[in-house]
């Protein structure tokens, strides 16, 4: 008797698991940042970007030649602020897109 109740429940669980996997909503698909460098003399690096107010939480100023990462077409850019990985302290933030260059140079 227990088998008849458990069977449909397991089938539903398996079906939901397959549906989540097939839609990609059950896991993140991280994209490794492409190597780039800061090409501006200095670039403000912010912790977050808010669509209503812009960048927030200044972390530090990056200098020309600092090694960063951003994968064009995969990592978001909001109003010219690109999600960027700083390979110095190994953290994410936002920097002006025009300050990124030298993709694949290191």
């Amino acid at each position: 008797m227990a088998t008849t109740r458990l069977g449909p429940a397991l089938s539903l669980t398996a079906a939901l698991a397959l549906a989540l996997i097939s839609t990609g909503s059950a896991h993140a698909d991280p994209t490794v940042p492409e190597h780039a460098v800061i090409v501006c003399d200095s670039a403000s690096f912010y912790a977050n970007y808010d669509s209503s107010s812009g960048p927030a939480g200044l972390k530090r100023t990056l200098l020309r030649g600092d090694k960063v990462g951003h994968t064009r077409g995969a990592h978001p850019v909001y109003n010219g602020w690109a999600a960027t990985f700083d390979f110095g302290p190994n953290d994410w933030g936002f920097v002006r897109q025009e300050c990124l260059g030298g993709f694949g140079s290191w």
Side-chain angles (χ1 to χ4, degrees):
M1 186 114 167
T3 304
T4 58
R5 290 184 185 174
L6 191 57
L10 288 176
S11 295
L12 180 59
T13 301
L16 288 173
L18 287 174
L20 289 174
I21 291 170
S22 65
T23 61
S25 60
H27 67 284
D29 187 16
T31 300
V32 176
E34 182 180 0
H35 288 175
V37 294
I38 296 296
V39 296
C40 296
D41 289 338
S42 66
S44 299
F45 186 71
Y46 289 90
N48 294 305
Y49 183 84
D50 185 303
S51 60
S52 64
S53 59
L58 179 65
K59 287 184 160 184
R60 67 187 79 79
T61 300
L62 301 177
L63 301 176
R64 179 180 296 275
D66 282 350
K67 294 179 179 179
V68 295
H70 171 85
T71 300
R72 296 168 282 185
H75 293 136
V77 177
Y78 305 114
N79 292 326
W81 291 91
T84 304
F85 187 78
D86 184 354
F87 282 96
N90 293 326
D91 60 354
W92 285 93
F94 288 87
V95 69
R96 289 295 306 171
Q97 185 177 20
E98 61 268 22
C99 289
L100 298 174
F103 287 92
S105 62
W106 59 281

